Amino acid sequence: MDFQNTYLKDVMAQVASKNADQPEFIQAVEEVLKSLEPIVDLHPEYAKAGLIERMVEPERQIMFRVPWVDDNGQVHVNRGFRVQFNSAIGPFKGGLRFHPSVNLGIIKFLGFEQTFKNSLTSLPMGGGKGGCDFDPKGKSDNEVMRFCQSFMTELYKHIGPNTDIPAGDIGVGGREIGYMFGQYKRIRTAFENGVLTGKGLTYGGSLARTQATGYGLCYFTEEMLKANKSSFKGKTVVISGSGNVAIYATEKATEYGGKVVALSDSNGYIYDENGVDLAIIKDLKEVKRARLSEYVNLVPTAKYFAGKGIWTIKCDIALPCATQNELNGDDARTLLANGCFCVAEGANMPSTPEAIDAFIAAKILFGPAKAANAGGVATSGLEMSQNSLRLSWTFEEVDEKLFNIMKNIFWACSNAASEVGMDGNYAAGANIAGFKKVAEAMMAQGVI
Ligand code: NDP
């Protein structure tokens, strides 16, 4: 990628050489730095203050051994991570991911993105991320519990309600947060429920947190559509993934009058031309923890296809909600050729740089992850507020706050893009709007 600004070009070269074995991290940094050129051009003082060099280096990275015992008495060892990326505007905040693909580079890319995303929410949260290369698939509840307890036995030393507040992500839902909270409470001998978000409702969780990322994605998307004289109503929608984000994006897109015809998992995808039956999906995924392929046994008119390929389905709106780099340049061209005019990212960095370039060049509506999926962490922020106040808000109260936050995020991106003459480039707008607040706070706090 070509940089005109020599300061940014030098920083990017350093990042690439220092982190050569972390392609996802390099990709995330490059995408952000590229769109900051108009702002950094206006602020030569950033170079002297080493601002961007500090922003691309995590404040702290923790890696640790996670030993645990399976149901047969066999010992396993996984590698745990917590990357505390940036605390300029608030305590570190970001999810934990349990998936075999987890490594330091992936956690760093997620933590870096999280810093700007959290800034966009307008709530006082810094950026962090963590996880483990543990695979919860196929494990018994007891195995998951023992693993979570071992993970927290190290992690608790580094987190706290005013220090670092983890939450869920891929492979970490209510069950895992519950086991981790239990272990934290036991070790600390204190009921500090502000230490984790995504908790169960009986011990400090927030109503609407489960729905928040998927709903928030649709609130953002509907606002983007409305600003461009369109809406979900009557549109065909394809959503990848079938986890937490995908399920609640399906629910809200359907409520808005869209028809969601496809969902996927890491093995394949289902196509249901009548619109997927969400009650069946929820039962399969949330209750039975079954594979998505089972859907066609319950809805015989639907079809299941093994492998990738969900982006070949004709749609108006595509919402990638599975994982990073799941939508490449070829997929983007296929979507565009099939008439797709709106893509909004529920997952983190699901579109490759080539795919993003194709969307921007085609001038379709593109909602970037750090803005479009910020509803999850925003509602985590609301959960923290309720914990501090020792109060619980109703579903409607939380949902309304989430709706307003997502609407404001859309307009922050739109306005920031317009200010640098890039009307409609919400990806650049999100980076610029998220960056400004963090930059200002870091400049004010001196060289730390
Ligand atoms: P879940 O674990 O609930 O679901 C993940 C879904 O994505 C599953 O359907 C899974 O399929 C699929 N998936 C995971 N890895 C891959 C892969 N390598 N290839 C293809 N499919 C894959 O996670 P979430 O729904 O919580 O997270 C989905 C995305 O949204 C992630 O990028 C996450 O970082 C992002 N996100 C989540 C937030 C949240 O609040 N949960 C907040 C903001 C962003 P399978 O079951 O086969 O693994």
Side-chain angles (χ1 to χ4, degrees), residues 6-204:
T6 52
Y7 171 47
L8 287 173
K9 188 177 178 172
D10 290 349
V11 175
M12 192 61 237
Q14 273 177 39
V15 169
S17 86
K18 272 192 178 172
N19 305 279
D21 57 342
Q22 298 174 357
E24 292 87 0
F25 178 59
I26 294 172
Q27 180 184 335
V29 172
E30 192 161 37
E31 195 268 334
V32 170
L33 295 199
K34 189 72 194 113
S35 51
L36 295 183
E37 285 201 301
I39 300 298
V40 174
D41 283 345
L42 293 174
H43 291 278
E45 71 275 18
Y46 289 167
K48 188 153 190 210
L51 180 76
I52 308 293
E53 293 92 319
R54 288 189 278 141
M55 243 181 218
V56 297
E57 190 66 33
E59 287 183 34
R60 191 171 298 107
Q61 312 179 48
I62 301 140
M63 273 170 72
F64 52 96
R65 179 169 71 201
V66 189
W68 58 279
V69 186
D70 72 18
D71 289 344
N72 299 318
Q74 176 65 50
V75 173
H76 299 263
V77 178
N78 286 101
R79 182 173 287 178
F81 303 87
R82 187 71 185 166
V83 172
Q84 299 181 328
F85 220 106
N86 192 306
S87 64
I89 63 170
F92 305 107
K93 177 88 194 94
L96 296 170
R97 176 177 291 191
F98 293 168
H99 192 271
S101 64
V102 163
N103 58 41
L104 183 61
I106 289 193
I107 299 299
K108 274 174 66 183
F109 114 66
L110 290 163
F112 179 73
E113 290 273 297
Q114 193 82 46
T115 302
F116 303 101
K117 178 188 310 192
N118 292 2
S119 164
L120 280 172
T121 65
S122 75
L123 302 173
M125 301 181 289
K129 199 82 187 188
C132 190
D133 58 1
F134 171 75
D135 188 356
K137 263 191 219 119
K139 306 290 190 297
S140 69
D141 282 352
N142 275 330
E143 287 172 330
V144 170
M145 179 182 73
R146 286 193 293 272
F147 167 80
C148 288
Q149 291 176 340
S150 179
F151 185 81
M152 185 51 87
T153 301
E154 175 60 32
L155 186 69
Y156 91 96
K157 300 170 191 163
H158 313 286
I159 62 175
N162 296 309
T163 319
D164 184 354
I165 305 98
D169 190 73
I170 292 178
V172 179
R175 175 182 62 171
E176 291 75 17
I177 294 288
Y179 293 148
M180 285 191 275
F181 180 68
Q183 183 72 350
Y184 179 87
K185 181 166 66 76
R186 181 190 193 191
I187 299 173
R188 301 276 302 153
T189 349
F191 192 92
E192 296 176 335
N193 62 7
V195 70
L196 287 171
T197 59
K199 299 180 293 293
L201 295 176
T202 51
Y203 59 96

Side-chain angles (χ1 to χ4, degrees), residues 295-326:
Y295 181 83
V296 294
N297 300 330
L298 303 163
V299 183
T301 49
K303 296 190 179 85
Y304 175 75
F305 301 89
K308 294 178 192 276
I310 187 167
W311 307 121
T312 60
I313 296 173
K314 190 173 162 48
C315 64
D316 304 304
I317 299 171
L319 304 177
C321 294
T323 193
Q324 65 272 2
N325 292 326
E326 54 162 310

Side-chain angles (χ1 to χ4, degrees), residues 97 99 110 117 129 137 168-172 209 213 241-246 264-267 285 291 308 321-324 346-348 373 376-377:
R97 176 177 291 191
H99 192 271
L110 290 163
K117 178 188 310 192
K129 199 82 187 188
K137 263 191 219 119
D169 190 73
I170 292 178
V172 179
R209 175 60 187 93
T213 310
S242 48
N244 172 266
V245 181
S264 65
D265 65 14
S266 49
N267 299 118
K285 302 304 296 183
R291 302 308 295 160
K308 294 178 192 276
C321 294
T323 193
Q324 65 272 2
N348 283 309
N373 75 22
V377 72

